[in-house]
Amino acid sequence: MNANQSIGKCFGTGNERAEKNPTTPMLRHLVYKIKSTGPITVAEYMKEVLTNPAKGYYVYRDMLGEKGDFVTSPEISQIFGELLGIWFISEWMATGKSAAFQLVELGPGRGTLAGDILRVFSQLGSVLKNCDISIHLVEVSQKLSEIQAVTLTEEKVPLERNADSPVYMKGVSKTGIPVCWYRNLQDVPKGYSFYLAHEFFDVLPVHKFQKTPQGWREVLIDIDRQVSDKLRFVLADHVEVCPDAGVVIQELSQRIALTGGAALIADYGHDGTKTDTFRGFCGHKLHDVLVAPGMADLTADVDFSYLRRMAQGQVASLGPITQQTFLKNMGIDVRLKILADKSHEPSVRQQLLQGYDMLMNPKKMGERFHFFALLPHQRLRGGSHQTEARPSRPSVAPVAGFADLAWR
């Protein structure tokens, strides 16, 4: 079975708009490109389809929510972001309550997650009162950055814009915290920082390879010889590699090792157990990755074992553990009860319960999504690579989420 046949079986077209518009501007662009320079890699295909400055899927559309192509945990329940906010405060406290820290989010979506975290920071203002906090968002999409600004910033304080600057937008949050936008992680100032990557690594471009009697050969995307405006895979039976993810992890590791802090990564993925996960989503349904490019999201599961290797021992890593385990350790059950008890509207309570089920149910997000953390070695009191959440010395505070949350 060739790759096109296998994908055709697994992924039916997921949305009428894609079926009605198979010859998209992006498809015409790709066909011209392939005719001019030859077949392209899967990584190049993903990069063009998702982030092309003129036609990219992520650049000019809001793809999140019920009307979009997929929904994320922060959009499902406020509890998710609140518990992540608690995680950052817990780590800040466990590592000595520094006088300042940066919260850096990679791919912040609509800003919902950052907004929920900022609300927790405000509610626990008495704990953070002497800490100078700033928010730094790494976002390539102009459309999403504008939505983030509406979600996060105070309307009375005008946004500063400078398209030619590494900091292309600046604002102030509704609680008075400075917010800056960047296109690249490398442009974010170095310093004591907490990094957050929620459903960020799964959309980074992947290369696919096939093992043949002659050795490993890369899977490419070419024009179908039978149908001129249709694309096809040239090879099948894949292994996926994501060099961009390795670059980001190395950058995060160097920063954390140098200046402290931590990185929390939440995504769907595996620990080196899967080989072919490249797929598309359109209208909340699986979608053939080669049909109507530019109209659907493209994604591949994160290989957490690869991320661990790419850290190259510069920092310690924890996980991956399932989202269900992480959120339970963070106290989601207690938080749900508090919110449900406060609510006098049956519809609100029902929404809370439905959100909880989506986040925690093993058949939904509970076991599909995983959490993974990078921390300085000294945080776990060991010079060597560690994967166990509980440190050997009882005097060291356990890392929340990977063990039960314990306030001090």
Side-chain angles (χ1 to χ4, degrees):
M1 181 183 293
N2 66 34
N4 246 352
Q5 289 172 328
S6 85
I7 286 180
K9 280 191 173 184
C10 296
F11 306 149
T13 50
N15 191 282
E16 288 184 3
R17 76 168 184 261
E19 289 181 357
K20 289 178 181 177
N21 301 285
T23 308
T24 60
M26 176 57 68
L27 178 58
R28 289 193 290 270
H29 165 72
L30 290 167
V31 167
Y32 177 80
K33 181 181 179 72
I34 292 169
K35 282 181 177 177
S36 302
T37 61
I40 59 175
T41 65
V42 172
E44 192 173 357
Y45 177 77
M46 286 185 73
K47 188 173 182 180
E48 284 287 335
V49 170
L50 296 179
T51 60
N52 179 285
K55 308 176 182 69
Y57 173 81
Y58 280 126
V59 177
Y60 293 110
R61 68 170 69 220
D62 175 11
M63 70 296 297
L64 295 163
E66 291 183 11
K67 295 181 180 179
D69 294 319
F70 56 90
V71 67
T72 63
S73 296
E75 307 292 334
I76 292 168
S77 174
Q78 71 181 70
I79 302 176
F80 184 85
E82 290 173 349
L83 295 180
L84 267 57
I86 294 293
W87 190 88
F88 291 117
I89 295 174
S90 172
E91 278 305 295
W92 173 75
M93 293 172 70
T95 52
K97 299 184 181 180
S98 67
F101 71 78
Q102 301 182 147
L103 178 64
V104 183
E105 185 175 4
L106 311 181
R110 283 177 169 166
T112 306
L113 183 53
D116 290 339
I117 291 171
L118 282 175
R119 187 173 62 253
V120 170
F121 287 180
S122 177
Q123 291 168 346
L124 294 175
S126 60
V127 178
L128 295 164
K129 62 184 177 183
N130 296 320
C131 185
D132 184 14
I133 301 171
S134 57
I135 307 298
H136 304 261
L137 305 177
V138 180
E139 179 59 73
V140 297
S141 168
Q142 186 63 40
K143 173 75 173 178
L144 286 178
S145 67
E146 295 294 338
I147 295 172
Q148 292 154 15
V150 171
T151 302
L152 297 174
T153 62
E154 174 57 64
E155 292 178 11
K156 295 174 184 176
V157 181
L159 289 166
E160 295 179 34
R161 290 182 170 86
N162 185 348
D164 298 325
S165 170
V167 190
Y168 67 85
M169 197 159 68
K170 291 181 181 180
V172 177
S173 80
K174 293 163 185 174
T175 53
I177 294 175
V179 186
C180 297
W181 279 262
Y182 312 79
R183 293 182 185 85
N184 300 297
L185 172 60
Q186 287 80 359
D187 293 328
V188 176
K190 291 182 179 177
Y192 186 85
S193 303
F194 291 112
Y195 300 91
L196 175 59
H198 177 260
E199 291 200 50
F200 171 78
F201 284 94
D202 65 276
V203 298
L204 295 180
V206 297
H207 291 264
K208 298 173 77 68
F209 297 88
Q210 176 191 6
K211 194 171 187 179
T212 71
Q214 291 77 38
W216 289 97
R217 294 172 61 192
E218 186 159 16
V219 176
L220 301 175
I221 292 173
D222 198 0
I223 301 167
D224 194 315
R225 291 177 183 174
Q226 274 73 45
V227 187
S228 61
D229 61 351
K230 187 178 178 183
L231 301 174
R232 63 169 183 154
F233 287 113
V234 177
L235 298 171
D237 297 328
H238 332 283
V239 170
E240 295 168 346
V241 178
C242 184
D244 285 11
V247 171
V248 173
I249 288 292
Q250 287 174 5
E251 175 74 15
L252 292 176
S253 300
Q254 289 167 8
R255 286 168 172 250
I256 293 167
L258 183 67
T259 59
L264 187 63
I265 297 165
D267 230 313
Y268 47 83
H270 57 91
D271 208 15
T273 57
K274 297 180 181 178
T275 59
D276 186 14
T277 66
F278 181 41
R279 59 196 180 279
F281 283 97
C282 189
H284 299 276
K285 296 179 182 178
L286 285 168
H287 176 82
D288 188 326
V289 295
L290 298 183
V291 170
M295 299 293 286
D297 186 33
L298 302 180
T299 179
D301 282 8
V302 177
D303 181 351
F304 290 105
S305 68
Y306 174 70
L307 301 191
R308 191 183 301 115
R309 290 196 304 274
M310 288 299 99
Q312 297 177 332
Q314 295 181 86
V315 291
S317 65
L318 295 176
I321 61 170
T322 66
Q323 176 167 292
Q324 180 189 44
T325 300
F326 181 89
L327 295 180
K328 187 168 284 291
N329 286 343
M330 288 299 300
I332 189 173
D333 295 322
V334 175
R335 184 59 181 154
L336 174 69
K337 186 176 188 307
I338 291 171
L339 289 175
D341 290 346
K342 281 184 178 179
S343 172
H344 302 294
E345 292 288 333
S347 60
V348 173
R349 283 198 295 271
Q350 180 68 16
Q351 188 178 9
L352 285 168
L353 291 170
Q354 287 176 345
Y356 175 91
D357 180 64
M358 180 65 77
L359 293 176
M360 298 293 284
N361 191 323
K363 294 181 180 177
K364 296 178 181 176
M365 290 181 164
E367 290 188 357
R368 290 199 61 223
F369 280 77
H370 292 78
F371 278 76
F372 181 82
L374 301 175
L375 306 109
H377 284 296
Q378 58 267 32
R379 171 66 179 91
L380 303 182
R381 291 283 170 83
S384 60
H385 171 73
Q386 297 185 33
T387 56
E388 291 299 320
R390 291 191 181 275
S392 57
R393 299 184 186 181
S395 61
V396 179
V399 178
F402 298 88
D404 291 337
L405 175 64
W407 285 100
R408 286 199 172 188

